[in-house]
Amino acid sequence: PQVDVVIGNPPYVRRRAIAPDTVKQIRADVLRENIEIAEADLSQLTDLYVYFLLKAAAHLKPCGRLAVVVADSWLNVRYGQVLRQYLQ
């Protein structure tokens, strides 16, 4: 469903602690809901919280608000480029 606001504290889980099939399913789900993001542009090393943000943003109504607590690592790493572009 489309919502006005998403507020959250996404999961901070080491990728190595998540089964590869689970990450693959999360990734596929996020890409399915964000058709403007090319699969090749979303790094396989993307942190789980970036997937959380992309999924949450896909459910916002126009002019909706997204407020989450996140680490700043996505600002300085290659996998964060997709999120930075998406948010702009």
Side-chain angles (χ1 to χ4, degrees):
Q2 296 291 293
V3 297
D4 293 311
V5 176
V6 174
I7 299 173
N9 187 0
Y12 296 95
V13 180
R14 290 181 183 244
R15 282 184 58 87
R16 290 180 227 125
I18 303 171
D21 287 344
T22 301
V23 174
K24 193 175 190 179
Q25 180 60 43
I26 292 168
R27 179 182 173 78
D29 188 39
V30 167
L31 288 167
R32 185 174 44 255
E33 292 184 3
N34 294 278
I35 59 172
E36 63 277 3
I37 298 174
E39 183 174 1
D41 292 337
L42 191 59
S43 170
Q44 296 286 337
L45 301 176
T46 301
D47 272 345
L48 189 62
Y49 72 86
V50 173
Y51 291 127
F52 178 92
L53 293 173
L54 292 171
K55 182 154 178 81
H59 289 275
L60 288 175
K61 290 180 182 176
C63 298
R65 303 291 179 142
L66 176 62
V68 292
V69 177
V70 296
D72 67 353
S73 59
W74 64 276
L75 293 169
N76 302 310
V77 293
R78 197 183 108 215
Y79 70 74
Q81 182 175 356
V82 168
L83 181 59
R84 289 190 301 273
Q85 290 172 343
Y86 184 89
L87 294 176
Q88 289 176 352

